């Protein structure tokens, strides 16, 4: 119990690379900018070795460290497990933590297969009956401009959704000599751009429209089949004597989809869009207007209202930094924008609020399973001449 009487919530995090650093920033920052109903404590971080875990604990602000996720989950002072590891470990860690009575936050995509994601969703449903909650980390839902887009669509401001145009464009693999990493290994990552960043835009399309993807026709491409091995390639297979290893996932994905409301959608996910660094682009065209968003200009939402006078109609550029916009009252004055890391803080705020009230948070593991089914349908379609696959 804190000095002001709030119950304690001990956090344990598994993994401490890019996502571990982003989640640690969120756990450090949330209590300093938001009035959390629980007193969160950054209790411990687990890594592959005792040394690497302790170095991460010191650097990222965790009180303790563990050399294994199992030891972290077993700690009586850990109430919530935050999973920031490659996808091949999500199911085992999340199910063990839920069964141990720990709340779970799991990075996206939920798992590397529909089978694993189904097991996780079932475990989360069973745990919820015991008051143990689970969330999957589709953080871009918590960008204020995305929240505004969802509200406008929900309010009918753009009418019936006719088109969804969703892209997630990065270019960090454009260089053919970039080294092999776990994200390029199917056994570790499950898929490449499709599951890593395609999952985000699939979730965003469903979140903003409030609709589901009902079927897809897709294609996948691996542009570079082998890459140099480096320190970051530890544990990955090599082509004998070549100093290089095989890329066993897609470099890029493109797929068409139908939406449950009758609209049609076009998706792209690639790590080869030279010049596009983290461009999540979502445009939704409706019968009465459009909304458009680009994460590389993340504090802005563009709105087109077809009911406006034709001579003055046009996309309006809304700077989503007013105190009345979601989360913004806790940050800076209007016009002082937010960054990539703020959505992770919002994710922590909403998860802690859910734990305090016992109300299951969104996105749930069921939401994560829904995305996983779309990913699998795209892979099946691409493997079968882009034939149509229902979801
Ligand atoms: C790599 O593509 C990555 O780190 C994704 O895994 C994250 O989900 C995304 O937010 C940034 O890019």
């Amino acid at each position: 119990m804190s000095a002001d009487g709030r119950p304690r919530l001990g956090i344990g995090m598994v993994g401490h690379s890019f996502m571990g650093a982003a989640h640690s920033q969120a756990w450090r920052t949330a209590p300093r900018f938001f009035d959390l109903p629980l007193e969160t404590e950054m209790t411990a971080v687990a890594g592959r070795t005792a040394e690497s875990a302790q170095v991460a604990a010191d650097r990222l602000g965790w009180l303790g460290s563990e050399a294994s996720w199992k030891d972290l989950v077993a700690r009586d002072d850990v109430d919530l497990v935050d999973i920031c590891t490659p996808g091949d470990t999500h199911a085992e860690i999340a199910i063990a933590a839920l069964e141990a009575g720990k709340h779970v936050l799991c990075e996206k995509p939920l798992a590397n297969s529909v089978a694993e994601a189904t097991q996780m969703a079932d475990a989360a449903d069973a745990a919820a009956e015991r008051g143990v909650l689970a969330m999957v980390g589709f953080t871009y839902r918590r960008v204020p401009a995305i929240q505004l887009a969802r509200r406008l669509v929900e309010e009918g401001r753009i009418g019936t959704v006719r088109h969804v145009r969703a892209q997630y464009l990065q270019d960090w693999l454009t260089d053919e000599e970039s080294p092999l990493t776990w994200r390029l290994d199917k056994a570790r990552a499950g898929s490449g751009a499709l599951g890593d960043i395609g999952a985000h835009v699939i979730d965003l399309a469903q979140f903003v429209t409030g609709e589901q993807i009902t079927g897809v026709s897709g294609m996948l491409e691996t542009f570079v089949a082998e890459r140099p091995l480096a320190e970051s390639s530890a544990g990955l297979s090599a082509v004998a004597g070549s100093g290089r290893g095989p890329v066993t996932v897609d470099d890029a994905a493109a797929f068409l989809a139908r939406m449950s409301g009758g609209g049609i959608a076009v998706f792209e996910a690639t790590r080869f869009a030279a010049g596009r660094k983290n461009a999540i682009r979502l445009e939704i065209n409706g019968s009465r207007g459009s909304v458009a968003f680009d994460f590389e200009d993340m504090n802005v939402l563009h709105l087109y209202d077809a009911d406006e006078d034709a001579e003055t109609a046009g996309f309006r550029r809304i700077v989503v930094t007013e105190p009345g916009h979601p989360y913004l009252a806790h940050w800076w004055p209007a016009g002082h924008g937010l960054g990539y890391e703020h959505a992770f803080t919002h994710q922590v705020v909403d998860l802690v609020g859910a734990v305090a009230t016992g109300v299951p948070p969104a996105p749930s593991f069921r939401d994560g399973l829904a995305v996983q089914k779309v990913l699998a349908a795209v892979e099946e379609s691409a493997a079968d001449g882009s034939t149509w696959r229902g979801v």
Side-chain angles (χ1 to χ4, degrees), residues 191-202:
S191 63
L194 177 65
D196 177 26
I197 52 180
H200 276 302
V201 284
I202 290 167

Side-chain angles (χ1 to χ4, degrees), residues 18-19 107-109 137-140 168 170 172 182-183 192-193 195-197 200 270-271 277-278 280 295 340 344:
F18 177 10
M19 285 300 110
E107 260 296 326
K108 41 50 61 183
F138 287 114
T139 49
Y140 292 115
Y168 198 147
Q170 296 178 337
W172 57 280
W182 68 264
R183 286 194 185 286
D196 177 26
I197 52 180
H200 276 302
T270 181
R271 293 147 165 180
K277 301 306 175 181
N278 202 47
I280 303 168
F295 184 78
Y340 172 70
F344 288 87

